[in-house]
Amino acid sequence: MSEPLGIFGGTFDPVHYGHLRLAEESIERLALGGIRWIPAGNPPHRDTPQVTAAQRLAMVLRSTADNPRFSVDASEVETAAPSYTVHTLERLRRELGNEQPLVLLVGADAFAGLAGWHRWRDIFALAHVAVSHRPGFPIDVAALPDALGEVFSSRHLAQVADLKAAPAGGIVTFAMTQLAISATQIRGLLAKAQSARYLLPDTVLDYISSHSLYRNS
């Protein structure tokens, strides 16, 4: 089989160093062949982003351009349909076939709410799930909803090498460097005309400035 491909979706409103570090560390920790970034066009479970999908895509393209292991998928931005993860994975399966190992990257907080996602159980027929967490704070299975806790226990893989043994179906966890950066924080700083430098790449900051994004009206 090919090396596992990481799938990293999100609103990226805006993309920042926390996102980039997660993608970089997941390649190393999970022995991935690369990361496919998929900005959401119409995220169904969140408030409408402050900037357009095309602008969020442009920022992701700028932030990832210098890393050959990163690629950007614009498909969700180019459709008006809601960006449900299971639909994205079904599309990728049609494109990449049934043998390519896919690894969906999610944070611990997002994973804890997985049982509320659209057709969440079907995700495991389409991809593995890799859950990042803070160092020293592993996933607390007892705190998960019962149905999700059962799935976690039955699908947890002891070794990340097992991701390559099957195209989908497993769950792995890994600790990543904790960066206290959030898109909400960055939007708040920019709205007040305060500096967000060193929280996100200069190429993204330049784009935000040139397009007057995230400013209070």
Side-chain angles (χ1 to χ4, degrees):
M1 283 188 179
S2 304
E3 291 180 302
L5 174 65
I7 306 301
F8 191 19
T11 52
F12 305 120
D13 185 29
V15 61
H16 54 69
Y17 281 128
H19 298 129
L20 291 159
R21 190 62 200 173
L22 170 59
E24 179 73 6
E25 291 193 16
S26 67
I27 289 177
E28 301 297 331
R29 303 286 177 84
L30 306 177
L32 304 179
I35 301 291
R36 182 177 291 201
W37 294 65
I38 308 181
N42 180 17
H45 299 304
R46 293 191 50 168
D47 294 336
T48 302
Q50 291 182 246
V51 303
T52 69
Q55 289 169 330
R56 291 184 287 104
L57 171 64
M59 289 187 279
V60 171
L61 286 167
R62 281 160 175 75
S63 70
T64 59
D66 63 351
N67 192 325
R69 298 189 294 185
F70 292 166
S71 62
V72 180
D73 184 330
S75 298
E76 304 298 320
V77 169
E78 294 169 351
T79 179
S83 298
Y84 289 111
T85 298
V86 68
H87 295 166
T88 299
L89 293 173
E90 288 174 335
R91 173 177 61 80
L92 292 175
R93 278 291 167 214
R94 291 192 294 271
E95 174 190 338
L96 301 173
N98 294 324
E99 299 304 315
Q100 168 67 52
L102 299 179
V103 183
L104 179 67
L105 305 177
V106 299
D109 290 344
F111 181 75
L114 188 70
W117 293 18
H118 179 58
R119 291 173 50 202
W120 71 279
R121 291 183 183 274
D122 293 340
I123 289 172
F124 297 100
L126 299 163
H128 301 293
V129 175
V131 187
S132 65
H133 60 82
R134 290 183 295 159
F137 292 87
I139 303 302
D140 183 359
V141 181
L144 297 174
D146 290 345
L148 182 58
E150 292 171 4
V151 168
F152 181 93
S153 297
S154 64
R155 294 185 176 276
H156 187 251
L157 301 177
Q159 304 180 62
V160 298
D162 293 335
L163 293 171
K164 193 173 181 179
I171 298 174
V172 295
T173 64
F174 67 103
M176 68 161 285
T177 301
Q178 183 66 19
L179 299 178
I181 303 172
S182 74
T184 300
Q185 170 197 16
I186 291 169
R187 293 195 301 269
L189 290 170
L190 295 171
K192 293 180 287 188
Q194 296 179 352
S195 173
R197 194 176 185 190
Y198 306 124
L199 297 176
L200 65 173
D202 286 344
T203 53
V204 177
L205 271 175
D206 290 344
Y207 182 87
I208 289 171
S209 177
S210 65
H211 291 78
S212 300
L213 304 182
Y214 303 113
R215 294 181 181 177
N216 281 332
S217 301

